[in-house]
């Protein structure tokens, strides 16, 4: 199949639901392939990693947006994302990233461990109290990350249910292709989120609190500040990036663990192995499957010359399954050496929330396996028909009965253990 047809297949509902066979069709043409006059697709791990770190590539700026997406300024969704750090280049990106990173400190993240554990325990209690199968996405995968990011941002608990619809609507604009109807839905989500955060920011200006919203409102560094628009855009990106992705890590990860009962049993006995498991789950079925870059100067990757103003789709999910980097890449194997998935990206836009997402999953999976040893899929899981943010709409599970707490052997992290 030629690269253009393979790409069309990837964008189709069938390709979005299971992109992995199409990635292999693209990979057959090489790690970087041309799929249109100035349009390239990257499936190779080394090439994806290098392009994301290469200063000759940036995210699409306003001038290119004017060229490729006329009328984008009329869309509240595109406008909002374009003003956040996710879609800006230096010097604006470096300034926003520095200010946000200053508020998003490792201390603030590490302090979330007990909050994550307490929230996960409460959600498992509720799952156990349910009479019959539950939807794992609604019962656990959504409320845990949303609870954690809302706790960080200082969003009142009562407002959390508002965000699921708004965020799901808005993230439609992260797809490589979007219909006019989907854009209208995304615009509605952006407008709601902007209205919500405008009020929250005003409240924190009046009465500062010990939360990330206050820290961002007050953020300044050597005279640099966030403008009003940038503040709102980055708060929205933090909220949206902070849970839809992690929700999908929890859903995709649980399915992978239940498909591999011996590996799941090993993690139940050895929670100290959670970091390696979570990285392998991120590699095996990445919650973010792609990102894109524009080139500003000529470059050459994978025997392909990329002229300036090339649009490059970096398929993170394909790079994570590059056989030159990972032997037998379609196999889930938490015992692999040197797992370093590109699921959080690389280079200047490397995910600001990677430590938080890892923390949530590292706490959640051992806790779920220990407290719900009978956890099993109890119906047909339904995937969202999305390519960029890969996850489930519903995942019905039965929870079995609660077991007595498992005694954890005093093992060293990273020590050799049973082969799952
Ligand atoms: C499993 C969960 C997550 C995954 C897979 C993920 C993935 C990613 C990826 C791939 C990027 C880079 C996009 C690019 O290069 O174009 C990114 C950026 C970002 N992520 Fe995450 N993310 C996750 C969780 C989070 C969380 C929990 C937060 C915040 C609380 C967060 C906040 C951000 C922000 C602010 C950026 C933009 C950074 C920049 O542009 O400098 N993410 N994420």
């Amino acid at each position: 199949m030629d690269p253009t047809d393979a790409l069309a297949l990837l964008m189709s509902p069938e390709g979005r639901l299971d992109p992995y066979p199409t990635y292999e069709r693209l990979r057959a043409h090489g790690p970087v392939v041309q799929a249109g006059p100035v349009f390239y697709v990257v499936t190779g791990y080394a090439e994806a990693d290098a392009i994301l770190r290469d200063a000759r590539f940036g995210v699409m700026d306003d001038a290119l947006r004017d060229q490729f997406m006329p009328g984008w300024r009329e869309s509240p969704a595109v406008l909002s994302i374009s003003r956040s750090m996710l879609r800006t280049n230096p010097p604006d990106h470096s300034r926003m990233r520095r200010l946000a990173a200053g508020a998003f400190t490792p201390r603030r993240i590490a302090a979330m461990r007990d909050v994550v554990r307490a929230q996960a325990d409460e959600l498992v209690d509720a799952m156990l109290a349910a009479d019959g199968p539950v939807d794992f996405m609604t019962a656990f995968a959504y409320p845990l990350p949303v609870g954690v990011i809302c706790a960080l941002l200082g969003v009142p608990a009562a407002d959390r249910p508002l965000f699921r619809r708004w965020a799901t609507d808005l993230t439609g604009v992260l797809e490589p292709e979007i219909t006019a109807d989907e854009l209208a839905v995304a615009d509605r989500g952006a407008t709601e989120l902007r209205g919500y955060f405008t009020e929250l920011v005003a409240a924190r200006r009046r009465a500062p609190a010990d939360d990330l919203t206050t820290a961002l409102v007050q953020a300044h560094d050597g005279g640099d500040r966030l403008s009003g628009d940038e503040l709102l855009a980055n708060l929205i990106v933090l909220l949206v990036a902070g849970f839809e992705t992690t929700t999908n890590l929890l859903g995709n990860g649980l399915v992978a663990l239940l498909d591999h009962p011996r590996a799941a049993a090993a993690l139940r006995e050895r929670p100290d192995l959670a970091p390696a498991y979570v990285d392998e789950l991120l590699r095996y079925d990445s919650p973010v499957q792609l990102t894109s870059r524009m080139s500003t100067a000529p470059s050459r990757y994978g025997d392909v010359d990329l002229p300036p103003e090339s649009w490059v789709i970096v398929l993170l999910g394909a790079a994570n399954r590059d056989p030159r980097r990972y032997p037998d890449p379609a196999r889930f194997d938490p015992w692999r050496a040197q797992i370093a998935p590109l699921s959080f990206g690389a280079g200047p836009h490397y995910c600001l929330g990677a430590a938080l997402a890892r923390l949530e999953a590292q706490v959640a999976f051992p806790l779920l396996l220990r407290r719900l040893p009978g956890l099993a899929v109890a119906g047909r899981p339904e995937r969202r028909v999305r390519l960029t943010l890969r996850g489930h709409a519903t995942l019905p599970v039965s929870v079995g009965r609660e077991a007595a707490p498992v005694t954890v052997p005093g093992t060293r992290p990273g020590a050799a253990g049973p082969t799952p």
Side-chain angles (χ1 to χ4, degrees), residues 53 93 105 115 119 208 242 306 341 357 362 364 386 402-403:
R53 295 171 194 275
H93 174 262
T105 56
V115 176
Q119 292 199 6
L306 293 99
Q362 289 168 10
R386 285 202 176 168
E402 186 164 15

Side-chain angles (χ1 to χ4, degrees), residues 13-29:
E14 180 197 346
R16 288 177 193 219
L17 284 170
D18 181 9
Y20 296 110
T22 318
Y23 291 160
E24 296 320 311
R25 289 178 156 153
L26 284 164
R27 201 192 307 285
H29 296 276

